[in-house]
Amino acid sequence: MENCVFCKIASGEIQSQFVYQDDQVVAFHDRAPLAPVHVLIIPRLHISTLNDLQIEHKGLMGHLLWVSQEIARQKNLQEKGYRLIMNCGRDAGQEVNHLHFHLLGGRPLGELVV
Ligand code: AMP
């Protein structure tokens, strides 16, 4: 998708150090981290919001969750815990219109919202 910053990151047009990548998913550090670990996990495929999911995306969404817990494990967060957040739309404060999970951890998160 033209002019989508996360598509550009996924394609390598904007350089980023990936925490994880495969043929369907990439993960990278949020540029404005709200916790010691703040990773964004995105599909390479441009899907704007959760509202835009189609039935054929079900497997991809499962894969995003799988990758998220793998990254949490890599970051040694599984025992202390972590939070996985997806904002959808204006009232949730979704800033980037390319579906993504925020993986947050490394400190008590309290009522933190992203
Ligand atoms: P959301 O409000 O859920 O759409 O979150 C978007 C997140 O993307 C915010 O936490 C931003 O800090 C982050 N972000 C925006 N542009 C970039 C970028 N170029 N590289 C890394 N993170 C970004």
Side-chain angles (χ1 to χ4, degrees), residues 5-6 9 14 28-32 38 40 87 93-96 100 102 114:
V5 65
F6 284 2
I9 288 172
I14 294 177
F28 51 91
H29 295 287
D30 195 292
R31 71 171 175 196
H38 188 169
L40 301 173
N87 292 317
Q94 184 177 358
E95 179 194 311
V96 177
H100 53 281
H102 296 254
V114 296

Side-chain angles (χ1 to χ4, degrees), residues 16-30:
S16 180
Q17 215 183 343
F18 292 143
V19 173
Y20 175 92
Q21 62 175 314
D22 65 26
D23 60 335
Q24 298 180 77
V25 169
V26 302
F28 51 91
H29 295 287
D30 195 292

